[in-house]
Amino acid sequence: MDDLVLSLLLSSVAPDIGGVLVRGEKGTAKSTAVRALANLLPSVDVISGCRFGCDPHAPDPQCPDQPHGHEHHPRPARLVELPVGATEDRLLGSLDLDRALSSGVRAYEPGLLAAAHRGILYVDEVNLLHDHLVDVLLDAAAMGRVHIERESISITHAARFVLVGTMNPEEGELRPQLLDRFGLTVEVRASRDPDVRAEVVRRRLAFDADPEGFVKEWQEAERELAARITSAREHLGSVELSDGVLRQIAAVCAAFDVDGMRADLVVARTARAHAAWSGRGTVTSEDVRVAAMFALPHRRRRDPFDAPGMDENLLDEALRDNAPDETEPPETDPDGGPDEGPEGGPEGGPGGQDPQNGPDQGDKPGGEPGGEAADRSGGPDRAEAPGQAAPQPSVPRDAAQAKSRPQEQESSRDDELRAPAPTQDAVSATNPFKVKSFKVPGLGKGTAGRRSRALTESGRTIATMPLGSGQTRGGRSGRVHLPATLTAAAAQQHARGREPGGPVLLRSDDIRLGVREGREGNLILFCVDASGSMAAKKRMAAVKGAVLSLLLDAYQRRDRVGLITFRGQEADLALPPTGAVEAARMRLDRLPTGGRTPLSAGLRRAWAVIGNERLRDPHRRPLLVLVTDGRHTAGEDPTRIAAEFARRGVRSVVVDCERGPVRLGMAGKLAAGLGGELITLDDLRAESLAGMVRGQVSQISERRVA
């Protein structure tokens, strides 16, 4: 929790850092900590009567409430919560229908972004936020303004806020564009120390027993913390960031190969805030290290399968190698021998500290190795975690593939023909690639996503419906379509006795709702054959690479994914449907192979999972991806259960894994029974499909010339 508290405090000292993303397991008080921050923030001075919270010393020249008066007053800093299920109108603001219908006046009703101006916008479960709301947040966070062009309204107003989000990675990852907008990120997990856990429970019980008394007990400590935030804010402008430290920041960001320049800016702002918080007048390497630990981990990730975190040893090396000129480190043994002492870093900072050397390292603020911040950032745990030992996210997978290549070269056709052992060790997947896009046919009504056509709350308007027709999305009312509403009422104005220049006379049967078409996310259920016929290392590595590529596509299209494997005599639900494709990748990595092929058991388990998900979300349509060579050597004939999938209209894709000069074509028969599409591993690649299309076009052109 120390990481979480420090990151929130630094964002309070310097709001231009860009906010905080809090990732962590459930039940770790993420939301509680964020909500408690509001009581610590200094009050803001606002112009009286301004609905947009303009600063009286620097009012927004484009504020819709202009002209402003001269009166102003202080108000507490706001923490505005954006619910996951909020509508775009609630976030941006909308036409004031009451005034429009009663007085014929086009008036704007501000939304949550206006309320969050000069405060905090908090999104719990931010990874579950709908894409159309994410797009709005991206624009507002990038520009510091909100532009509304809709329903005959043209409005712009300032919206500068600290964006704070909390999420559980098990429920799905965040879009890379929004992830980069968070200045800092922090990983939170519950303490495993029994004494700490007991103290948490003790304080919670004390609060439940006497809330007022508990608040009074900690009131003085909170006042001191709020006063320190105010002092650090006042001191921030005088903190010096030297050219040497600035170059060190740039070198560290370059060493970790982060995209763009936002990381450099965030690290510089965070380092200054940490120096101000610590009461220093100059930014040091210690401040840079703390800032980098918060600002860089989420910017190193290239895809959702890259493990979060960073290599602290590489960070210390980059800090040491690019120490400011005025504090050059002493020469050290190039072999890293015992001549390299604890004073090897700048000003005795983190560059040269030995994590095992010196009992007083934990007393230094900012967190040298072995110190308090190293514990906060999970130093040893991060360094030892799989996929975190190198600066490039792809290195761990490549290294694992390099280890598997000698084994792959030893495998031959004899290995495939030889009877496999009951269980064989898991093999690493090949590199993921861009895959063909699969869609569920028809027009769905599921949760907004990026795969199949659907009626959604956002998107292009394809029709209008009268209010109460029950034909809008899910039978619920959609957004009022003002032009269609006024058009329906226009022909009746004379008969209703409207006076010239008077308000439009509307009735409930005039109101029209817009029907919008967008894209939905689907349930992608992977059913993977892990039997002995798939156990040849080259084949299973290719199969895992294909599934990994499909998982990446599912992540980008905002689908829910599930993973079923079948081998021996039964099928196993390795991963229940979830939005966390990273969890599916981890299960896939550990997938063993061997045994017989219970294809019918895999299909029956898939049928049960699809049925359960339909009960939970009737509008989310499934897409079954069956990865197999089509053989079945255990259990009943799969023909009957396959026909049931076809009869119920479940969209299915069979990825044929059979290879070699002699092929039985059993996967093709299975695809025909399912009423689905058959595709080979080689044709799964999008570039292969593009090549096929280009080839067909070339043949057509040649025939026309002939």
Side-chain angles (χ1 to χ4, degrees):
M1 296 300 291
D2 291 337
D3 264 356
L4 172 57
V5 171
L6 181 58
S7 63
L8 291 174
L9 291 173
L10 294 180
S11 289
S12 303
V13 172
D16 59 349
I17 286 175
V20 183
L21 174 65
V22 186
R23 297 164 47 94
E25 57 194 23
K26 52 186 175 292
T28 48
K30 301 185 295 293
S31 302
T32 303
V34 174
R35 293 187 177 105
L37 179 65
N39 295 329
L40 303 176
L41 297 179
S43 60
V44 295
D45 206 15
V46 298
I47 297 176
S48 299
C50 179
R51 297 173 297 167
F52 300 87
C54 281
D55 185 348
H57 307 292
D60 178 14
Q62 295 179 285
C63 178
D65 282 355
Q66 288 272 24
H68 292 128
H70 298 288
E71 296 183 1
H72 55 89
H73 65 277
R75 78 171 185 201
R78 290 178 176 173
L79 186 144
V80 178
E81 295 195 37
L82 172 60
V84 171
T87 63
E88 189 176 345
D89 290 346
R90 186 71 187 96
L91 182 61
L92 282 173
S94 62
L95 179 70
D96 189 335
L97 285 178
D98 185 38
R99 295 183 62 185
L101 298 180
S102 62
S103 305
V105 176
R106 290 183 300 174
Y108 172 70
E109 183 68 25
L112 295 178
L113 290 178
H117 180 47
R118 303 176 66 198
I120 297 174
L121 182 64
Y122 172 48
V123 188
D124 192 13
E125 306 295 348
V126 64
N127 52 323
L128 303 182
L129 199 64
H130 291 306
D131 275 359
H132 65 285
L133 298 182
V134 170
D135 293 336
V136 172
L137 279 182
L138 286 175
D139 289 340
M143 306 298 296
R145 300 195 67 81
V146 175
H147 298 273
I148 300 99
E149 299 286 346
R150 61 197 305 172
E151 297 163 347
S152 304
I153 294 179
S154 180
I155 293 289
T156 180
H157 65 81
R160 292 184 295 274
F161 48 83
V162 177
L163 182 61
V164 179
T166 54
M167 60 175 282
N168 182 353
E170 295 177 358
E171 297 174 345
E173 287 293 341
L174 199 61
R175 279 177 56 182
Q177 296 92 333
L178 183 57
L179 182 64
D180 189 53
R181 289 296 175 187
F182 286 98
L184 312 179
T185 186
V186 57
E187 297 282 337
V188 177
R189 62 178 181 177
S191 173
R192 300 305 187 254
D193 185 344
D195 293 335
V196 174
R197 297 175 73 96
E199 181 62 21
V200 171
V201 175
R202 188 178 298 113
R203 292 189 185 183
R204 174 69 203 201
L205 293 178
F207 174 81
D208 291 341
D210 183 12
E212 293 183 3
F214 187 87
V215 170
K216 288 181 180 179
E217 180 183 353
W218 293 96
Q219 197 168 33
E220 183 60 31
E222 287 202 345
R223 266 199 296 263
E224 293 176 0
L225 197 56
R228 187 175 175 185
I229 293 175
T230 302
S231 175
R233 280 190 175 186
E234 295 172 351
H235 182 53
L236 181 63
S238 61
V239 174
E240 179 185 356
L241 179 65
S242 66
D243 289 342
V245 174
L246 187 57
R247 188 185 183 282
Q248 185 183 41
I249 291 172
V252 167
C253 294
F256 282 92
D257 195 27
V258 296
D259 292 334
M261 296 296 299
R262 186 171 287 116
D264 304 61
L265 289 169
V266 172
V267 172
R269 290 166 177 164
T270 308
R272 290 187 65 196
H274 188 264
W277 177 254
S278 303
R280 287 189 290 272
T282 304
V283 176
T284 66
S285 295
E286 177 184 325
D287 302 313
V288 176
R289 188 183 195 279
V290 173
M293 291 299 300
F294 287 144
L296 297 186
H298 61 298
R299 292 185 167 87
R300 293 176 54 250
R301 305 185 74 187
R302 293 297 185 267
D303 61 57
F305 306 132
D306 295 331
M310 61 190 301
D311 184 358
E312 294 189 43
N313 293 328
L314 178 65
L315 174 59
D316 292 336
E317 181 181 349
L319 289 167
R320 182 173 59 250
D321 292 345
N322 298 278
D325 295 337
E326 61 269 18
T327 55
E328 294 183 359
E331 294 183 3
T332 58
D333 182 5
D335 296 329
D339 293 340
E340 185 174 353
E343 298 178 356
E347 301 179 4
Q353 295 292 356
D354 184 352
Q356 308 296 330
N357 198 8
D360 59 341
Q361 298 302 313
D363 296 333
K364 293 189 177 184
E368 291 113 346
E372 181 181 350
D375 292 338
R376 289 198 303 265
S377 58
D381 293 339
R382 289 190 182 184
E384 296 173 5
Q388 297 181 19
Q392 296 295 333
S394 60
V395 169
R397 289 203 297 272
D398 293 342
Q401 292 160 14
K403 291 179 181 178
S404 68
R405 286 187 192 114
Q407 298 176 358
E408 293 175 2
Q409 293 171 359
E410 294 174 3
S411 64
S412 63
R413 288 187 59 200
D414 294 337
D415 294 327
E416 297 184 18
L417 299 175
R418 187 171 57 223
T423 299
Q424 298 189 14
D425 294 336
V427 297
S428 299
T430 58
N431 288 328
F433 50 84
K434 185 174 179 60
V435 298
K436 175 186 177 181
S437 175
F438 299 105
K439 295 180 174 61
V440 178
L443 194 62
K445 299 177 181 179
T447 304
R450 295 183 172 182
R451 184 171 296 275
S452 306
R453 295 175 56 226
L455 298 177
T456 59
E457 294 178 354
S458 61
R460 64 187 184 92
T461 301
I462 59 173
T464 60
M465 295 289 180
L467 179 65
S469 64
Q471 301 180 46
T472 55
R473 180 179 180 266
R476 298 190 298 271
S477 297
R479 183 187 303 163
V480 173
H481 194 279
L482 189 58
T485 299
L486 295 177
T487 300
Q492 306 297 326
Q493 295 305 295
H494 180 73
R496 294 173 185 173
R498 179 196 177 196
E499 298 179 0
V504 178
L505 302 178
L506 294 178
R507 294 179 181 173
S508 59
D509 56 355
D510 296 327
I511 298 179
R512 299 293 186 268
L513 305 179
V515 180
R516 298 173 179 270
E517 180 182 318
R519 297 283 177 178
E520 67 176 358
N522 297 113
L523 168 63
I524 311 298
L525 186 59
F526 294 94
C527 196
V528 181
D529 184 351
S531 63
S533 63
M534 305 287 289
K537 290 184 173 63
K538 284 185 177 180
R539 182 188 294 187
M540 201 60 203
V543 167
K544 286 188 176 183
V547 176
L548 197 65
S549 304
L550 290 165
L551 281 170
L552 181 58
D553 181 68
Y555 162 75
Q556 294 169 340
R557 297 181 185 276
R558 315 303 289 173
D559 297 312
R560 287 177 63 83
V561 298
L563 177 62
I564 294 173
T565 63
F566 56 94
R567 58 186 291 267
Q569 299 292 330
E570 58 186 17
D572 175 46
L573 179 59
L575 180 72
T578 176
V581 295
E582 166 64 15
R585 196 272 303 169
M586 294 174 63
R587 304 292 173 89
L588 190 68
D589 280 348
R590 297 193 295 265
L591 176 64
T593 57
R596 305 182 73 184
T597 311
L599 180 56
S600 57
L603 289 174
R604 286 197 176 278
R605 194 60 184 269
W607 181 264
V609 171
I610 291 174
N612 290 337
E613 285 301 303
R614 276 179 169 166
L615 293 177
R616 294 174 183 166
D617 187 354
H619 297 301
R620 188 179 289 272
R621 297 186 293 166
L623 172 61
L624 175 66
V625 179
L626 184 59
V627 185
T628 180
D629 57 8
R631 302 178 185 179
H632 59 93
T633 58
E636 62 181 300
D637 191 321
T639 303
R640 188 167 65 87
I641 183 66
E644 190 67 16
F645 276 88
R647 189 176 72 83
R648 294 294 183 91
V650 176
R651 169 80 162 110
S652 58
V653 175
V654 178
V655 181
D656 185 4
C657 302
E658 190 175 31
R659 288 188 168 182
V662 179
R663 303 192 182 190
L664 301 179
M666 300 180 69
K669 298 178 181 178
L670 178 61
L674 288 167
E677 179 179 355
L678 176 69
I679 188 168
T680 65
L681 281 175
D682 295 332
D683 291 339
L684 186 62
R685 295 177 178 268
E687 52 265 32
S688 299
L689 296 169
M692 293 168 55
V693 172
R694 285 193 293 268
Q696 293 293 330
V697 172
S698 298
Q699 294 178 13
I700 293 173
S701 300
E702 290 174 0
R703 286 197 295 267
R704 285 179 176 175
V705 172

